[in-house]
Amino acid sequence: NDTMNQPTAAKVPRWRADEPLTWAPLRPGRMALGAELAQLESLARDSQTPIAKLQALATRRAARLAQLAETLTQLSKLSGTLWHWQGQGDAASLATQLGQSAPPDHSQSMTVAALLLSPSPLTFWQELTP
C-alpha cells in the first residue's frame, strides 16, 4: 500500500441498472386491503348473511344428491338386455378377446355402443353393469 495513493471512490448509485424500482412499495398491500374492505361492505349491505347463503346452498346440494340417487335407482330398473364386455391388455390382445366373446346379434333395433378406455380399472362402470 502506498500511503500517498488515494483509493477510488465508491460508485454511485449502488444498485444495479436492471433492478426494478418500486415507486409505491405499499400499493400491493393497499390493493389487498381495499379488496377485502369492498367484500366486507358488500356482505354487510346484502340482505342475506353468508351463513344463510351457505345453508341455502347446502339445502340445494342435498336436494340434488337425492335427485341423483333417485335417477340412479331408476337406471337400475331399466328393462331390456344389457351386454357388456371388459378386457385388459394391448390392442391385439383386446381384439382377440373381443373376437372370442359372444356379442348379441343384430335382431335388436335399438342398439347403443360405448367404448371406455382407461389405464386403471373403471370401478364405477363395473358396479353399474353387473
Side-chain angles (χ1 to χ4, degrees), residues 52-117:
K53 288 181 181 180
L54 287 174
Q55 287 174 343
L57 184 63
T59 305
R60 283 182 32 214
R61 182 178 185 267
R64 177 69 177 150
L65 287 175
Q67 179 189 8
L68 287 175
E70 180 183 343
T71 305
L72 189 60
T73 304
Q74 290 176 355
L75 186 62
S76 66
K77 295 178 184 177
L78 282 177
S79 63
T81 59
L82 174 67
W83 181 81
H84 70 283
W85 176 83
Q86 300 175 38
Q88 294 179 349
D90 60 349
S93 168
L94 289 175
T96 305
Q97 292 175 29
L98 188 58
Q100 293 172 352
S101 66
D105 59 1
H106 297 284
S107 64
Q108 297 165 343
S109 62
M110 304 289 247
T111 303
V112 176
L115 176 63
L116 304 173
L117 301 173

